Each structure stands twice: as structure tokens, then as C-alpha cells.
């Protein structure tokens, strides 16, 4: 099982010069390239023609052949503070020349499972990643595509849904900028796991068949932010205030924390050091119940929490359908005791059926969309981000002296 | 209780018993058979499949088998007094192997996932709430939480909230 991967002919010249926008198509009012450390984002329904992705924040990402200015800007990439690494549909990539990681005659594949049963399968491929004026050199990304000549291992599919196309994914890719630097870490690294991959494994070496494998951390699918020369310790996701629903909302993804004048942590911010032993979580008290499995996830398209008194929609039981708008509150606290942060979050939950129907069915941004999370804590999805700056600091990165060691969330 | 007896005759549990015996005889990790709905020997099959350690704690209403992998995935298998796995709960950095753990309920789970994705929900929690199977899955990559149980098999006095 122990495997040493060869990185194919990647020479990073460390140059960043005007990556071209070849291959980008005209999106639905999508952001274009940003400046300095700010890349625009938009809650705009996503890139799928004729289909609205409710409460998804989308961004343009530029990928380049490493060390070159041969690049492609791809729109419709979902901004996801709940995962790690850049994943792009192969069908959205027109750039040629990207190299995959290999070992001998085998190709390295990556698998990611989401808690909802969906999964993504694709090669571990090396690209330079550019957003705003930031360059992440030689990042391992996942290029999503079904394999030819062999089947996706059942260990990966795990009974779930293969989101290998734009319609299923609702996006051209996912930008995972959560509080960890790579998608697996020591559990997949042969220097730490004794050469025994996890079961199920995120990495496989495949020829005509696949075998689970270990991959050194430096070659795992990486949160591209940590590869930036500066502004590499985290991000801020900003969205404007929203009351109810709107056709679209525009905001910003700001790189770095405390590294520029525009990314300072305000003294008023609540900083929640994360419980790393429990999946980078904090705790939430809701209606007298202490829930320890809480997290902030821009890639979830609602606020999901357990409350059996709120009816779910009959046609769509993943969302709540109260008869009228509910004004609710929850109290977030650290599970670990580092900053002692605690604060009340006021939020609304409205009838999802009505929200989707109002505005002639053309709205894509909803501040009061939510649903049940029967088994767990609070999943603070995209509606939480309206009228907030949400800071995500990345594990292992240096942070400002007036903040605790990463990882943490602050808002 | 009637439902419980029906499950006892499920093909998966018979295979699990065979697999369990073979496991002891040869000390090998063999192909997987039913965990949820299966008998207690299927817990050992799951443990071998996941290359994990196990700790067993006997309680009044059920016995808890804690399967823990070296890399942090924890699976709790709840076994009733009559020796049936009636619930599974998990937390950790990876989704657990659902086919292995759900056994004969795996197809029903898979169909439930398909139904869930028919709607506009994206990458939120999964709630499969059917008469014969409940699956609740939340979290995100590197931090998953969930449970699966067969409502009719819950021992008297055991509530879903205890299944963690």
C-alpha cells in the first residue's frame, strides 16, 4: 500500500502575469476578476441554464499550467467554507496540458464524500490557482470526471450520488476554503498512517482497477489559499444584508486575515476556536438543548438545525415550511475554552415553498431558508453570511497576535 | 417485536453469522455482510473491514460496541438483548463505509439518498425518515456525524437521541 508519488514535470517559476480569460463563458451576472486580495462572489443562482441554485455563492477561479501564463478562468465555482481544495468538472476545463499525479503506470484519483450522500471522483491534477491578485503555485486539485475502463470503487460511491456533471453539481466546481489546509491530512499521509489508508479512503491508485493508497500531505488536494505568497492564513466571506429574498446578491471573498488594511479582525468580532477533536466544531444552545456539532458552511444552502416543532415542506422535506416567518435565536459558544466567546445569533426561518415561488420563481438569494438536521447540531449555511463578515482561519497558518492559534471562525 | 423477528430471518444475518465464524477460523478480513439488522457477530466483521479496534460496554437496554479506527472514525453499534444490531452511529473525519455497516439496508439507504437529491437542497444534512429505516447524516469533509436505525427494532425505552 505504501506509495511514493511522482510529481510530473512541474516547475514553478513563481511568475504571475496576466492569466488570460480563455474559455470563460458569459454567466448570469457573475463576478469577474478582482484586484489585490479581493475576489467578487455572487449569490446568483449558479451556472446551470434554467435552473436556480438557491443560496449558493459563486466565484470565478483561474487555473493555469504551472509556471506559465497559459490559463483559463472558470465561472460558477461554489464557495465552500465546509470543504478543502479546488474541485472542477473536467467538462468545464478547456485548458490543455494539465498533468495528473501518477505512480508508475497508475493514476492518482481523489474521492470526496459529502454528508448528504453525494460524492465527487476525479484525478489529482496539478495547476496554478489564481484569484484576485493571489497565486497558489502547483496546487493539487481534483478534476471531476467518471473514469473510463474501470468503475468508481464502491468505497467511494458509498451508496451516494455521483455529482460528475454540471446539472448534478449545480456548479462548475467547488472551491473548498474551510479551516484545514488539505482534504485529508495525516490520516492519508504514509509518514503518519503507517502506510494504511483510511477506510473508506480519499485516495486511490488506478489502472484497470483501483487500490486505496496513501499520499504525502504536500501532494493532497489543497486549500489553495495556503499556497498564496501572502494573505495565506485564511479568508473572509462577506455578503450584504438581505431581508427575505432577492434575485441575486453580490459580495466578496477576501484573502488573508490581519495581513492588509481590508482584512483586520475587528475588536467586536466573536472568535470561536474550533474543537479539532470533533471535526472543527463549536457548540450551539437552541431552545435549551446543547448541540456540540456546529459549523459554518457556505456550501450548505440553508440553516440546518434540529427542531421537530417546525413542519418540513411536504414536497421537499429537506427544508422547513412554517405557516409564517419564525424569528428564532441560538447561542454559539466554544466547545474548547480558548477565547470564551459566546454570542446570540438571531435568524429567521420562512416557508421554503413560498420563498421559492415568490419573485416569479426567479429569486436565488434567501435570508430565511432553513431545514431540519435531525441528527446533529447547527449547520450555519449561506443565509448566515448575509450582513456578516465571516472569518475562517486555516489550521497551521500564522495568525494575528491578537487572535488564538488557528483554526477558528470569527464573525 | 414481530418486525424484529422478521429481521432475524433476513438473509444478511445468516451470512453475517457464517462470515463471523470464518473470521475467527482464519483470522482474515472477509467480504462484508449485514451489520444493521444483523446479529452481533457482524460487528466483528465491520471491525475487521475498518481495520479498527473495538470496545464493548454492556448496558441495561443494549450493548454498545465502539469501533474506532486508528485515524479517528468512531462507529457505535447498538445491539439489543436479543443480539440484533438495531442502530449505528458515527462521527469522525471520514464517512463510514455504508455498504458494510448498513448491510441489507444499503439499497434502501441508497434509494433514500437519490430521493433526497431530487429537491433543491445542496450539501446540507441528509434525513431519510422512512418507516423501516431512519438515516440522519450531517457535518462536512473531515467532520461527519450521523446515525442509522430501524425504528421497529429499538428496544423499549430507547429513544433516537440516545443513539450517538
Amino acid at each position: 500500500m505504501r506509495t511514493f508519488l511522482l510529481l510530473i514535470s512541474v516547475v514553478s517559476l513563481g511568475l504571475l502575469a496576466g492569466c488570460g480569460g480563455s474559455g470563460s463563458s458569459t454567466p448570469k451576472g457573475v463576478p469577474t476578476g478582482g484586484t489585490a486580495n479581493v475576489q467578487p462572489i455572487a449569490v446568483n443562482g449558479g451556472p446551470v441554464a434554467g435552473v436556480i441554485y438557491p443560496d449558493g455563492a459563486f466565484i470565478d477561479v483561474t487555473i493555469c499550467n504551472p509556471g506559465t501564463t497559459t490559463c483559463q478562468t472558470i465561472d460558477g465555482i461554489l464557495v465552500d467554507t465546509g470543504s478543502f481544495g479546488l474541485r472542477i468538472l473536467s467538462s468545464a476545463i478547456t485548458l490543455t496540458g494539465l498533468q495528473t499525479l501518477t505512480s508508475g503506470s497508475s493514476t492518482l484519483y481523489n474521492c470526496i464524500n459529502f454528508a448528504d450522500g453525494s460524492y465527487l471522483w476525479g484525478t489529482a491534477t496539478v495547476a496554478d490557482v489564481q484569484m484576485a491578485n493571489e497565486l497558489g503555485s502547483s496546487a493539487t486539485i481534483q478534476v471531476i470526471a467518471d473514469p473510463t475502463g474501470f468503475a468508481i470503487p464502491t468505497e467511494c460511491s458509498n451508496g451516494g450520488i455521483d455529482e460528475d456533471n454540471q446539472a448534478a453539481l449545480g456548479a462548475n466546481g467547488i472551491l473548498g476554503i474551510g479551516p484545514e489546509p488539505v482534504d485529508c491530512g495525516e490520516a492519508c499521509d504514509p509518514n503518519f498512517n503507517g502506510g494504511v489508508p483510511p477506510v473508506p479512503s480519499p485516495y486511490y491508485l488506478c489502472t484497470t482497477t483501483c487500490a486505496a493508497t496513501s499520499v504525502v500531505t504536500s501532494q493532497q488536494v489543497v486549500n489553495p489559499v495556503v499556497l498564496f505568497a501572502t494573505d495565506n492564513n485564511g479568508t473572509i466571506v462577506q455578503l450584504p444584508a438581505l431581508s427575505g429574498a432577492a434575485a441575486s446578491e453580490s459580495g466578496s471573498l477576501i484573502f488573508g486575515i490581519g495581513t492588509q488594511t481590508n482584512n483586520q479582525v475587528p475588536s467586536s468580532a466573536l472568535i470561536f476556536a474550533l474543537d479539532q477533536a470533533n471535526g472543527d466544531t463549536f457548540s450551539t444552545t437552541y431552545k435549551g438543548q446543547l448541540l456540540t456539532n456546529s459549523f459554518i458552511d457556505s456550501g450548505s444552502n440553508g440553516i440546518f438545525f434540529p427542531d421537530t416543532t417546525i413542519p418540513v415542506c411536504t414536497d421537499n422535506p429537506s427544508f422547513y415550511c412554517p405557516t409564517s416567518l419564525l424569528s428564532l435565536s441560538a447561542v454559539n459558544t466554544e466547545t474548547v475554552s480558548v477565547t470564551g466567546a459566546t454570542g446570540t445569533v438571531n435568524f429567521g426561518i420562512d416557508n421554503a415553498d413560498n420563498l421559492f415561488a415568490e419573485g416569479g420563481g426567479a429569486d436565488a438569494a434567501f435570508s430565511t431558508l432553513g431545514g431540519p438536521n435531525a441528527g446533529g447540531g447547527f449547520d450555519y449555511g449561506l443565509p448566515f453570511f448575509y450582513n456578516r463578515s465571516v472569518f475562517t482561519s486555516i489550521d497551521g497558518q500564522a495568525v494575528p497576535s491578537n487572535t488564538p492559534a488557528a483554526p477558528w471562525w470569527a464573525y | 417485536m414481530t418486525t424484529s423477528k422478521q429481521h432475524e430471518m433476513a438473509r444478511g444475518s445468516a451470512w453475517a453469522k457464517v462470515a463471523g465464524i470464518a473470521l475467527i477460523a482464519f483470522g482474515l478480513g472477509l467480504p462484508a455482510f449485514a451489520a444493521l439488522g444483523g446479529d452481533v457477530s457482524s460487528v466483528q466483521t465491520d471491525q475487521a473491514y475498518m481495520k479498527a479496534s473495538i470496545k464493548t460496554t454492556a448496558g441495561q437496554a443494549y450493548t454498545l460496541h465502539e469501533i474506532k479506527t486508528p485515524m479517528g472514525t468512531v462507529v457505535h453499534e447498538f445491539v439489543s438483548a436479543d443480539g440484533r444490531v438495531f442502530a449505528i452511529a458515527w462521527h469522525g473525519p471520514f464517512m463510514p463505509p455504508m455498504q458494510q455497516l448498513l448491510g441489507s439496508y444499503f439499497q434502501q439507504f441508497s434509494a433514500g439518498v437519490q430521493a433526497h437529491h431530487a429537491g433543491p437542497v445542496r450539501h446540507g444534512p441528509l434525513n431519510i425518515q422512512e418507516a423501516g429505516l431512519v438515516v440522519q447524516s450531517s457535518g462536512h469533509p473531515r467532520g461527519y456525524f450521523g446515525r442509522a436505525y430501524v425504528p421497529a427494532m429499538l428496544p423499549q425505552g430507547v429513544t433516537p437521541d440516545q443513539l450517538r
Side-chain angles (χ1 to χ4, degrees):
Chain A
M1 285 295 189
R2 195 181 178 106
T3 306
F4 297 96
L5 292 162
L6 300 173
L7 187 66
I8 302 174
S9 62
V10 171
V11 181
S12 177
L13 301 177
L15 294 174
L16 170 60
C19 284
S22 65
S24 68
S25 56
T26 306
K28 294 180 273 192
V30 130
T32 52
T35 56
N37 65 333
V38 183
Q39 181 79 347
I41 62 174
V43 183
N44 59 6
V48 181
V51 178
I52 287 183
Y53 188 126
D55 271 341
F58 294 89
I59 191 168
D60 293 1
V61 178
T62 299
I63 56 171
C64 309
N65 283 318
T68 77
T69 54
T70 306
C71 303
Q72 179 193 0
T73 298
I74 300 174
D75 62 52
I77 306 287
L78 184 76
V79 177
D80 184 14
T81 64
S83 70
F84 318 97
L86 178 61
R87 303 162 191 283
I88 302 177
L89 291 171
S90 174
S91 57
I93 298 176
T94 55
L95 178 69
T96 56
L98 291 176
Q99 306 272 333
T100 62
L101 292 172
T102 60
S103 179
S105 58
S106 298
T107 299
L108 182 65
Y109 285 85
N110 175 245
C111 174
I112 185 170
N113 297 101
F114 295 98
D116 66 356
S118 61
Y119 67 91
L120 299 172
W121 171 269
T123 56
T125 294
V126 179
D128 284 359
V129 176
Q130 185 197 343
M131 288 174 284
N133 196 32
E134 313 276 4
L135 173 69
S137 292
S138 294
T140 302
I141 69 171
Q142 185 195 41
V143 175
I144 304 158
D146 279 350
T148 52
F150 62 90
I152 295 172
T154 52
E155 219 184 292
C156 171
S157 54
N158 216 14
I161 298 259
D162 184 1
E163 295 189 324
D164 66 331
N165 61 81
Q166 197 196 53
L169 186 61
N172 288 325
I174 294 182
L175 176 65
I177 49 166
E180 294 293 335
V182 289
D183 74 342
C184 185
E186 293 182 355
C188 293
D189 187 325
N191 298 314
F192 295 94
N193 69 6
V196 181
V199 181
S201 173
Y203 290 96
Y204 299 83
L205 279 174
C206 306
T207 49
T208 53
T209 58
C210 294
T213 194
S214 301
V215 178
V216 293
T217 301
S218 62
Q219 293 188 339
Q220 294 177 11
V221 172
V222 63
N223 180 339
V225 173
V226 301
L227 298 180
F228 295 165
T230 57
D231 307 323
N232 56 20
N233 60 353
T235 57
I236 307 168
V237 175
Q238 275 181 353
L239 286 173
L242 172 65
S243 178
S248 68
E249 287 290 316
S250 296
S252 298
L253 177 60
I254 301 172
F255 299 109
I257 296 175
T259 59
Q260 311 285 346
T261 54
N262 68 352
N263 61 18
Q264 299 293 317
V265 182
S267 58
S268 58
L270 292 171
I271 303 177
F272 295 87
L274 301 181
D275 183 357
Q276 291 187 273
N278 192 42
D280 286 341
T281 52
F282 56 92
S283 294
T284 303
T285 303
Y286 175 73
K287 292 190 175 178
Q289 192 183 2
L290 179 66
L291 307 163
T292 56
N293 298 338
S294 296
F295 54 98
I296 299 175
D297 180 7
S298 64
S300 289
N301 64 348
I303 296 177
F304 297 98
F305 59 102
D307 188 337
T308 54
T309 70
I310 307 175
V312 298
C313 312
T314 48
D315 58 333
N316 192 0
S318 294
F319 290 112
Y320 284 132
C321 269
T323 50
S324 60
L325 176 65
L326 301 176
S327 294
L328 303 168
S329 69
V331 178
N332 290 337
T333 55
E334 285 178 324
T335 304
V336 294
S337 297
V338 176
T339 70
T342 181
T344 299
V345 175
N346 295 308
F347 62 102
I349 293 295
D350 209 343
N351 184 303
D353 283 346
N354 293 345
L355 289 172
F356 293 148
E358 288 163 9
D363 288 341
F366 307 97
S367 64
T368 53
L369 184 61
N373 185 11
F378 258 69
D379 174 352
Y380 284 104
L382 198 80
F384 177 76
F385 289 74
Y386 296 116
N387 201 26
R388 282 197 173 87
S389 294
V390 179
F391 293 69
T392 306
S393 84
I394 303 170
D395 190 14
Q397 300 297 95
V399 290
S401 57
N402 61 340
T403 64
W408 43 260
W409 273 306
Y411 57 84
Chain B
M1 279 301 143
T2 314
T3 312
S4 173
K5 282 199 166 63
Q6 284 168 354
H7 283 293
E8 218 162 281
M9 290 183 286
R11 190 181 60 160
S13 64
W15 279 107
K17 207 167 285 181
V18 173
I21 290 164
L23 191 70
I24 292 160
F26 302 109
L28 294 171
L30 291 173
F33 299 95
L36 186 62
D39 70 24
V40 68
S41 68
S42 68
V43 176
Q44 293 167 345
T45 319
D46 293 343
Q47 177 201 357
Y49 183 88
M50 296 185 71
K51 304 182 180 92
S53 62
I54 192 163
K55 188 176 82 178
T56 300
T57 311
Q60 271 199 328
Y62 54 79
T63 300
L64 174 63
H65 300 263
E66 180 177 273
I67 297 173
K68 193 168 186 178
T69 74
M71 290 306 150
T73 297
V74 177
V75 173
H76 287 165
E77 301 208 18
F78 298 81
V79 179
S80 59
D82 63 352
R84 322 301 304 173
V85 180
F86 64 88
I88 290 162
W90 62 86
H91 61 91
F94 309 100
M95 280 288 279
M98 300 305 273
Q99 186 164 18
Q100 174 71 31
L101 296 184
L102 297 183
S104 58
Y105 290 89
F106 180 68
Q107 293 304 328
Q108 192 176 351
F109 161 74
S110 192
V113 174
Q114 300 280 336
H116 171 85
H117 284 263
V121 69
R122 301 280 186 176
H123 294 174
L126 173 69
N127 299 294
I128 297 173
Q129 188 80 37
E130 297 172 10
L133 177 68
V134 174
V135 182
Q136 298 161 341
S137 170
S138 178
H140 53 86
R142 300 191 64 164
Y144 301 90
F145 316 93
R147 60 182 167 223
Y149 62 94
V150 181
M153 289 178 71
L154 294 195
Q156 198 164 16
V158 175
T159 64
D161 277 349
Q162 295 171 254
L163 308 174
R164 295 183 184 281

